[in-house]
Amino acid sequence: MVEVPLDFYNWGVANYALQVENYLVFQNFEVLAPVPQIEKTYFFGAVVCLLIGLAISLITTFRRYHFIGAMALVILMLTFSGVNSLNIGSVSSNLALIILMAGFTLPAMVIHFFYEHIPLTKRTLIIAPIAWCTIALLLYLSPTVNPTLLLSENLGLVALSVAAIFLLYVGHALVGGFFLLLTKLNQGVGLKISWHLTIFTTGYLLLLLIILLHYTNSYSLPFTYPPLFPLFIVVGVAGWFEIRAKIDQIDQPFNLPIVGKSLYWIGFGISSMAFWKASFSLNQPMLDFLDHWLLYTQIAFSLLFFIYLMSNFLGFMNSGKPISEVIFRPKYFAYVHMRIGALIALLSLVVYSDGVIAPQLSTSSTNFSADYYYATGRPLEARILYENSWIRYRKNGKAKVATALLYEDENQLTLAKQQMLEAFEWSPSVPEVILAANMAHKRNRYFDALFYLEKGLEIYPDNTLIKNNLALLYSKGNKAQKALELLPPNDRSGTIQANRIGVQVKHLLNIDHLPEPGQDRIGKINTLAYYNLIGDFANFTIEAEVSDAPLTQQAILRNQWSNKTFAPIDQDIALVDSLYSKELSTAAQQELRVTRVIRSYQDHQVSSALKYLNGLAIDFEGSAGYFHGMAAYILIGQGDFEKAANELATAEMMGYRDFKSDQLPVLYFGGHKDIAKKIAEKYQLEFPEWMKNELDSIGNPQIDMGYFGYFDHLVQLNKATKDEFLTFYKAMEDGPLKVIYAHEILFKKGHWLSESELKEISSYLLSHKDLDSRYIEELGSIARQKVTKSPESPLLKVYFPDNAPVATNPYFTPMVLMAAKDAPSSEERYELLRNACEFNKDARLWLTMIQAARDLGLTGYVNTFVDELRQWVPLTKLQELQESED
């Protein structure tokens, strides 16, 4: 919160400001627990099952021995499916695997051995539906929690197996595809494409080696490496051209070319799904396995395939002959021998990388199980698996973060902290850095949080998230300049800009060079606080929306209504009441009610604002002093110094300590001289100079015409009669004090004046060119009770919604009387006058209320009101006024 002036009051002897609090909203990046991706996992499992069913129907067209080998491979991969975890029959029973193998392999075997004449379409229509029905049967028979999710997660290992085989198959696809393109372009031309091929292959292999060194933490260039999935896409597309050449040149285990092409795209599709699964589930070990395996296979097979091409075709590669038609039919150094050599190179790369793919593969499977348990509401099992997963493979940020957060949910804060310390012993990820700092901050370990973020910034010097959170901690520690250095002024991120604005306003630093908030709502909230702080209108408005968070809605309403309003007050009050009914936090309810006070005050509904503040003081005793102090300033603004003094005296009793020297005259002249002196002594405050000079000589008649006498008469103006205030006005010397006093007479006491007196005071005010002449003229018309249409002055127009006068300010006595005259019924007229008289001690206003009570037959109330009026109006004067009213 930041204190801003809602209104200013100049009473000639001092300037008073009604201070309210505005929100500064700071956005700290948080690390939340993993979000279960159930729908995406369902889709992944469904697509993999669909593609495997289609692939099996294609495999049935293979020749005998190839079919047997392919089915053996299918059975092997089905064992990776973890289907026994469905617990059909008993826990970990093999019955589920038997059913799965029967459904997926038996129809294919029967068709292959006994019905080879059946066309491919019919085979697919038989085999694929049986396979899918088998999956449905397994899910139906399983007693486990959400078996569909369990099987979909476990199919991730099958997808990884298919992806590994597919990446082996397309290991040299990019080099092969580039060579095919060169030979096509070179036909009949005779360019030296061997140089093109050498340069391309060398550059490609160097790029792959640099990325591999980066992945193995051996060496890294100072720039960010792109993700490898786009490379997989490029390799997959290039492999399409290669497979078409292979089908044409090499004897295949099938007769129909469409079988090989379809199997290729099925392998590409399952591999793509594996990359997608690793990405959306944040399974870093799985993604690392795919990236590493892609690098190994591309380096090994591309290198050996390049040697294969140069060994077999260098002699006539540049001749322009159609070499693409025989690329896979070498006379020596057979193509199959090249692949054997590539496998040896591949194993060498695996050994060089310390066999990291083994823990990556096993940890991927552990994460599948952990995700399943987490998604099905079993956090204990999930936490154990996540923790085990990180122990086996440290580059596993999601597992570490999930472990720490799950420990925190179990209220095992020491173990949660230990998880973060372990993460910092290695190379922590950005989420781990942020989580460690946030957990320390929540435990009020400010310097620990600072250490984590500063250490994280050393590791990730350009990370925006760490910079943002560190800047907010610096701001909390009053290191404003260091905070601003971490929040660049031209950053396009709305969050960074909003926080920068907030820091500048909070610390009043570089306040003249505030960034533009753009369309960011939080940035606009903080910018509104800035405009309110300097007492200026913003060049934009912002409206609370249903989609906004509760805190954002409250901040928008408070800051916007402190600046300017644009909707009818009834609509705004209904909005804040609706938010209040939904808010459970006591502190938030208190702030919403303060916002309602501000909105009422901005619409000049002074009596409503004061009543709401009184209710706040009763309901929230801990902040009662603050609310009484706020009410005192509103009353000072209305010139009711007696009630303001009472509020300040009560505020002091309730613990209010923010007293200022300018409040001492209010207490002194408001009837609390002793309290004024006590507060001055207690809080070491000085009385204003114009008071200190006169405190010892109050009996001097000359004092009545100075500041002392002016303020004394100003305090008494609310309950003064015409003779009292008009005599003093005429005796005043010309100057600013007389202008203020004249305005107050016209505003509060105009109904006492005759036409000549109104003209005299209006003319005096109009003689000052710096005053708004239209406002003065219309104020005089209201005093005469002769307003026939809504005034044009914005200051008075607010009192005439729908062109009808309203008595929202009880101290604007002529307006109250005008509204009472236009009241639709006697009851409403009396109620309106009664509400005004709760604050205003104007004698004629009270006599009008007494007459309204008499008209309604409220005799008991009439006597009570007359007795109250006699407390500040002498009996003789009261009789005189009653006679004049009659």
Side-chain angles (χ1 to χ4, degrees), residues 346-453:
L346 178 64
L347 291 174
S348 301
L349 290 170
V350 170
V351 172
Y352 170 78
S353 302
D354 297 325
V356 71
I357 59 171
Q360 286 171 349
L361 192 60
S362 64
T363 307
S364 300
S365 178
T366 304
N367 280 354
F368 296 151
S369 300
D371 288 345
Y372 163 71
Y373 281 111
Y374 184 77
T376 52
R378 287 175 281 183
L380 177 62
E381 293 86 343
R383 191 255 299 158
I384 293 171
L385 289 169
Y386 281 131
E387 188 170 8
N388 178 267
S389 169
W390 187 85
I391 290 172
R392 286 188 289 150
Y393 187 71
R394 302 301 168 85
K395 190 182 176 184
N396 199 355
K398 172 190 172 181
K400 196 61 173 175
V401 166
T403 303
L405 288 172
L406 289 172
Y407 268 127
E408 191 175 43
D409 289 344
E410 296 172 10
N411 206 28
Q412 299 191 57
L413 302 182
T414 302
L415 291 175
K417 178 184 177 182
Q418 182 181 336
Q419 294 298 316
M420 291 296 95
L421 292 175
E422 287 180 357
F424 266 80
E425 290 176 2
W426 298 83
S427 178
S429 64
V430 171
E432 289 168 336
V433 171
I434 293 175
L435 180 60
N438 289 349
M439 289 177 69
H441 194 203
K442 289 174 184 175
R443 299 195 306 273
N444 294 320
R445 302 292 183 88
Y446 171 80
F447 292 103
D448 287 354
L450 207 62
F451 166 77
Y452 289 135
L453 289 175

Side-chain angles (χ1 to χ4, degrees), residues 722 725-726 729-730 742-766 776-786 814 844:
K722 179 177 176 179
F725 66 76
L726 206 55
Y729 165 74
K730 291 180 179 180
H743 171 266
E744 287 301 291
I745 290 174
L746 196 60
F747 188 84
K748 297 178 178 177
K749 298 291 187 176
H751 56 291
W752 288 79
L753 303 177
S754 65
E755 182 64 29
S756 60
E757 292 164 342
L758 279 171
K759 285 183 179 180
E760 177 187 349
I761 292 180
S762 297
S763 298
Y764 176 73
L765 291 172
L766 290 170
I776 300 299
E777 290 171 357
E778 292 179 340
L779 193 59
S781 298
I782 292 172
R784 295 181 181 93
Q785 308 283 292
K786 292 181 179 180
R844 284 200 165 178

Side-chain angles (χ1 to χ4, degrees), residues 83-100 134-144 147 150:
V83 71
N84 285 340
S85 60
L86 293 175
N87 295 337
I88 297 175
S90 61
V91 176
S92 298
S93 168
N94 290 325
L95 181 58
L97 182 60
I98 294 170
I99 295 173
L100 181 68
T134 302
I135 296 293
L137 176 64
L138 290 171
L139 298 178
Y140 175 76
L141 295 175
S142 174
T144 58
L150 176 59

Side-chain angles (χ1 to χ4, degrees), residues 15 72 86 194 203 224 268 347 384 432 452 463 532 600 602 606 665 671-672 689 722 786 816 822 880:
N15 289 320
L86 293 175
S194 58
T224 304
F268 179 80
L347 291 174
I384 293 171
E432 289 168 336
Y452 289 135
N463 187 267
N532 294 335
S600 298
Q602 290 287 60
V606 176
H672 295 281
E689 291 296 328
K722 179 177 176 179
K786 292 181 179 180
V816 174
D822 294 345
E880 180 185 332

Side-chain angles (χ1 to χ4, degrees), residues 643-688:
K643 282 190 172 61
N646 293 336
E647 292 288 349
L648 287 173
T650 306
E652 204 277 334
M653 291 174 54
M654 295 292 183
Y656 183 74
R657 298 292 180 265
D658 191 23
F659 285 99
K660 299 177 177 61
S661 295
D662 292 337
Q663 294 169 323
L664 297 179
V666 176
L667 283 162
Y668 187 90
F669 288 98
H672 295 281
K673 295 181 180 180
D674 293 339
I675 294 178
K677 294 176 181 177
K678 173 186 171 184
I679 288 176
E681 181 180 351
K682 183 177 181 180
Y683 299 102
Q684 298 182 346
L685 300 175
E686 294 285 340
F687 278 92

Side-chain angles (χ1 to χ4, degrees), residues 148 204 217 222 237 314 361 420 483 638 750 823:
T148 305
Y204 180 55
N217 295 319
V237 173
L314 181 61
L361 192 60
M420 291 296 95
Q638 303 308 313

